[in-house]
Amino acid sequence: MLRITIILLFFFLIGCNKTQKESSLLKEVISLQKQSLNNLTDSSFVLLKHSDNYIKENPTYFPDSIKAKNHYLLGLQFKKKGKLDSAFVHFYLATDFVGDSIVRKAQADYFTEAWSASMDLEKYGDCLVILKRYRASLGDKNYRKLWLKSYFYDVWTYKRMKNYSKALEINKFQEILTKQIDSVNLPILLISRADIKYRYLNDKKGAFAILDSLIANDKYLTPNDKRQLYGKYGVFSYYEGNYQKALTYYIKTLSFSKKMTNNSGQLDRLANSYNNLAEVSIDLKQYKNAQKYLDSVKLLGLHKLEERQRRYLLNYELRLANETNKNLNKVMAIMDTLYESQNKIYKDKFNTEILELSKVNEKKKKLLLEKQVAEVKNVKLKSKIFLLVTVILLFGAIGYLIFRQRKLKFEKVELQIQQRLLRSQMNPHFTFNTLYAIQNKIEVNPKEGSKYLLKFSRLLRLILENSTQDYVLLEKELETLKKYIDFQLLRFPSKFTYSINLEHMEEDELVFIPPMMMQPFIENSIEHGFSGIDYLGKLTLHLSMKKNYIHCSIDDNGKGFTKNNKKDKDSISISL
């Protein structure tokens, strides 16, 4: 018990040390991930690579949620750098760690980003596989709105694949689900259907019919629904050459874009509305209004806009300058402004990255120093634990040996007592029968009977003498056995014969053996082996010296042991 306790203590101390290390690394990785989210520059990539190295070096220390998040954040960094292949790999790995079920809404972003990256890479087959896994992980009961929204991604995928009939089929199926689950998204779904009909199926009449029905009930629509509805109607009107109608709907689109102040991408949406208004104003020869809208784009801050909107601005400025026969110097000035704005973006980004990288290096040095200090403390702690465990094991081993020695000593004394008790008693049944046989002898032949009585008293004295000793001479033990067998012959005359054979040894050699060890076996042969036989029994005791041991063989031609003739008292004596 003491040994088991020591072993458990040893593994408990090691386990505590390992758990402490796991907790420290886990906190450090979580800290690096939080820092990367707060930094919007490439320094985030450095922080995430540090946490990725920790995870790779100690994969068993981190739960799947931490591994998935790290892959997701790395994917965002690669996406920002334009390395879409690497971004897709990390987004896809993040989805692998989600398992069979999404338990947090944040995990849904892993699938949508993986789908988006595969769309940009034109891996449309992968897109469909990801969406299928996404819906399976969402289930049809949990996160039903996200599950429903995933069909929008299916529609976009099939549109990219130019499988417009399939896109329309899913759109109609999605309408049925939307009415059952979340009717709020129904307008966006119908606007998407109108886009498919107009752009890809050349069903312009059907497309305008859908948009007109939505406009007729626009009081039920949200600002975002109206923004998309009027924007789509304006674009279709522009394609049809109805510029005045397009202008009217673009103005409505702008008004609803301005109301959406709390949404991401607000500046780009405003820039897009102003650019659309500038384009249609140029076509309507309303050059002053066109210039006003283009100036509004510039006031938003060119460095804050995505490249597409800056490209549209420059394109419309060139068109305006060309149509008004203005000097191209103004256009060149705009190009210089765009160039300076681009330079400012790169310069700010570069300076911020340098600053953040220096912070990361300082943080890395600090972490390295803390890690070294922690390792030194860990080594000292391990040394103390090892020394403590060694001392405990040493004292435990000594205590165990003392305890075991005392236990063996007590067991030996107890066994000797049992053996002596066994030796000190002769089978009462044998004693009674022997005395009865001697009495009969005395009645028939007093002289012969007296002789047997004297031999019996000699046997009892030998047994009593031997029972007090742990070891006796082989010669005395054989003498006791012979007298015992002779008295058995007195009880069973002409029942059996016996012989004692010695091999590689003499009877009077200085050899000691435990007393009364062979007697129980011989007694069994006579009492049970020869009981009820109708032929002459033969008993042979064979002793041979083999190296430092005496090999003893007791053979008889009796009927042998059976379940009926085994006695508990004989089994006990033989076992002892």
Side-chain angles (χ1 to χ4, degrees):
M1 187 66 185
L2 179 62
R3 180 168 53 180
I4 295 172
T5 304
I6 293 168
I7 293 171
L8 289 175
L9 175 62
F10 177 72
F11 283 108
F12 173 75
L13 292 171
I14 292 175
C16 287
N17 187 36
K18 182 180 178 182
T19 304
Q20 187 178 17
K21 182 180 178 183
E22 289 179 6
S23 178
S24 175
L25 282 175
L26 184 60
K27 288 179 181 177
E28 194 166 337
V29 167
I30 293 173
S31 174
L32 289 171
Q33 289 180 347
K34 286 181 178 179
Q35 290 179 63
S36 70
L37 286 172
N38 295 329
N39 295 320
L40 302 178
T41 64
D42 286 348
S43 59
S44 301
F45 181 74
V46 179
L47 294 169
L48 291 170
K49 288 303 289 182
H50 283 317
S51 61
D52 188 52
N53 289 334
Y54 284 135
I55 292 171
K56 286 179 179 177
E57 290 171 2
N58 307 279
T60 57
Y61 290 0
F62 302 94
D64 287 346
S65 58
I66 295 295
K67 296 175 183 177
K69 187 175 181 180
N70 213 70
H71 280 299
Y72 170 68
L73 294 174
L74 278 169
L76 292 178
Q77 290 298 315
F78 280 115
K79 181 180 179 181
K80 182 181 175 183
K81 291 174 177 289
K83 299 179 179 179
L84 293 179
D85 284 323
S86 298
F88 171 74
V89 169
H90 283 285
F91 288 141
Y92 197 86
L93 287 173
T95 65
D96 279 344
F97 284 109
V98 171
D100 297 330
S101 178
I102 289 176
V103 294
R104 294 187 305 276
K105 284 188 177 181
Q107 293 175 321
D109 294 337
Y110 304 164
F111 287 92
T112 55
E113 288 291 351
W115 168 81
S116 178
S118 57
M119 281 284 283
D120 292 337
L121 292 168
E122 299 182 357
K123 296 180 177 181
Y124 303 125
D126 289 338
C127 289
L128 297 176
V129 171
I130 290 167
L131 292 174
K132 186 176 180 181
R133 287 181 56 222
Y134 180 38
R135 279 191 287 272
S137 298
L138 285 170
D140 56 356
K141 294 182 180 179
N142 300 324
Y143 306 116
R144 299 192 76 184
K145 291 182 179 180
L146 290 176
W147 179 75
L148 179 61
K149 188 179 179 181
S150 69
Y151 286 102
F152 280 111
Y153 306 141
D154 271 306
V155 172
W156 292 334
T157 304
Y158 282 112
K159 282 165 65 175
R160 285 282 194 90
M161 296 171 68
K162 297 182 179 181
N163 190 345
Y164 306 121
S165 58
K166 185 67 175 178
L168 188 60
E169 177 189 334
I170 294 174
N171 182 271
K172 290 179 179 179
F173 171 69
Q174 190 182 6
E175 181 183 4
I176 298 171
L177 296 176
T178 302
K179 289 177 180 178
Q180 296 174 354
I181 299 173
D182 185 19
S183 59
V184 175
N185 287 322
L186 190 58
I188 304 297
L189 185 147
L190 293 174
I191 292 169
S192 176
R193 183 179 301 173
D195 188 62
I196 295 172
K197 285 179 175 288
Y198 186 91
R199 291 177 183 269
Y200 309 114
L201 301 179
N202 200 28
D203 183 6
K204 297 179 180 180
K205 184 177 178 181
F208 277 111
I210 292 172
L211 297 181
D212 288 334
S213 65
L214 289 171
I215 289 174
N217 297 282
D218 66 350
K219 61 182 179 180
Y220 301 109
L221 303 180
T222 65
N224 183 50
D225 294 338
K226 292 178 181 180
R227 178 187 66 82
Q228 295 193 52
L229 171 61
Y230 294 132
K232 191 66 68 177
Y233 210 110
V235 170
F236 291 171
S237 298
Y238 183 84
Y239 290 159
E240 293 294 310
N242 194 341
Y243 300 136
Q244 190 60 50
K245 196 173 185 179
L247 178 64
T248 302
Y249 283 108
Y250 282 157
I251 291 172
K252 288 185 177 183
T253 303
L254 177 63
S255 67
F256 287 110
S257 294
K258 288 180 177 179
K259 291 179 181 179
M260 300 178 62
T261 56
N262 296 325
N263 296 75
S264 60
Q266 170 71 358
L267 291 179
D268 289 319
R269 279 193 293 269
L270 286 172
N272 188 64
S273 295
Y274 285 129
N275 279 326
N276 284 340
L277 284 165
E279 181 185 30
V280 74
S281 296
I282 293 171
D283 289 317
L284 289 170
K285 311 299 181 182
Q286 299 176 5
Y287 299 126
K288 287 184 178 181
N289 287 338
Q291 189 62 61
K292 180 183 69 174
Y293 293 132
L294 291 174
D295 290 340
S296 297
V297 176
K298 298 172 200 172
L299 289 173
L300 294 175
L302 296 179
H303 64 283
K304 297 178 182 178
L305 301 176
E306 61 182 13
E307 185 182 351
R308 184 181 59 169
Q309 298 304 330
R310 294 198 297 269
R311 189 169 62 249
Y312 289 157
L313 171 65
L314 181 58
N315 182 43
Y316 300 146
E317 284 282 7
L318 286 169
R319 279 190 60 193
L320 184 60
N322 182 56
E323 294 197 16
T324 56
N325 294 316
K326 287 185 179 180
N327 194 319
L328 290 179
N329 288 335
K330 185 175 181 181
V331 179
M332 295 300 295
I334 294 171
M335 292 184 66
D336 290 339
T337 303
L338 289 172
Y339 178 74
E340 289 175 5
S341 174
Q342 192 70 36
N343 276 346
K344 186 176 185 302
I345 293 172
Y346 287 132
K347 186 176 180 180
D348 291 344
K349 182 180 178 182
F350 178 76
N351 290 335
T352 307
E353 287 175 1
I354 291 295
L355 179 62
E356 294 298 331
L357 283 171
S358 63
K359 289 181 179 179
V360 169
N361 286 331
E362 290 177 5
K363 177 70 176 177
K364 185 178 179 181
K365 290 178 182 178
K366 186 178 178 181
L367 287 173
L368 183 60
L369 181 61
E370 290 176 355
K371 186 177 180 181
Q372 289 174 346
V373 172
E375 286 178 352
V376 171
K377 289 182 179 179
N378 194 28
V379 170
K380 289 182 179 179
L381 179 63
K382 282 183 178 179
S383 300
K384 290 180 181 178
I385 292 173
F386 180 76
L387 181 61
L388 176 63
V389 171
T390 303
V391 172
I392 292 173
L393 287 174
L394 182 61
F395 279 103
I398 294 172
Y400 175 74
L401 288 174
I402 294 173
F403 170 77
R404 186 170 177 272
Q405 191 67 25
R406 292 186 64 184
K407 183 181 177 183
L408 290 174
K409 184 177 180 182
F410 284 130
E411 288 178 350
K412 182 178 179 181
V413 170
E414 184 182 1
L415 181 61
Q416 289 174 349
I417 291 171
Q418 290 181 13
Q419 289 176 336
R420 287 177 181 176
L421 286 173
L422 180 67
R423 296 167 200 153
S424 64
Q425 60 181 345
M426 183 176 287
N427 190 319
H429 186 67
F430 164 75
T431 304
F432 175 79
N433 288 335
T434 303
L435 290 173
Y436 182 75
I438 292 172
Q439 181 183 1
N440 290 336
K441 277 286 184 183
I442 291 173
E443 289 177 358
V444 176
N445 189 345
K447 188 175 180 180
E448 189 71 19
S450 298
K451 183 179 177 183
Y452 276 109
L453 184 61
L454 184 64
K455 286 183 178 181
F456 186 66
S457 64
R458 171 64 178 167
L459 174 62
L460 289 177
R461 187 170 68 83
L462 284 172
I463 291 173
L464 290 173
E465 285 179 358
N466 291 349
S467 65
T468 60
Q469 305 294 323
D470 292 331
Y471 294 95
V472 296
L473 278 169
L474 175 63
E475 183 181 4
K476 291 187 67 176
E477 180 67 10
L478 291 178
E479 181 184 356
T480 304
L481 284 176
K482 289 175 183 177
K483 292 185 181 298
Y484 170 75
I485 296 171
D486 287 341
F487 277 104
Q488 289 286 20
L489 285 171
L490 177 64
R491 289 178 58 205
F492 307 111
S494 304
K495 189 71 175 179
F496 68 94
T497 61
Y498 77 93
S499 62
I500 298 175
N501 303 321
L502 300 178
E503 183 180 354
H504 305 306
M505 59 188 303
E506 299 295 334
E507 186 173 334
D508 58 354
E509 281 190 23
L510 197 63
V511 175
F512 291 86
I513 63 171
M516 299 295 287
M517 280 193 70
M518 294 178 283
Q519 186 271 339
F521 296 95
I522 291 173
E523 182 178 0
N524 278 328
S525 293
I526 297 171
E527 295 285 348
H528 306 300
F530 298 150
S531 175
I533 63 174
D534 55 359
Y535 54 86
L536 181 65
K538 292 183 180 180
L539 176 65
T540 303
L541 171 62
H542 185 84
L543 299 174
S544 62
M545 181 67 74
K546 294 186 176 180
K547 294 185 179 179
N548 296 327
Y549 295 92
I550 297 174
H551 181 267
C552 175
S553 172
I554 300 171
D555 300 299
D556 68 75
N557 63 344
K559 61 184 179 181
F561 281 118
T562 65
K563 289 183 179 180
N564 296 327
N565 66 13
K566 272 190 175 183
K567 298 291 182 73
D568 289 340
K569 59 184 179 181
D570 297 324
S571 299
I572 293 171
S573 64
I574 291 173
S575 298
L576 290 170

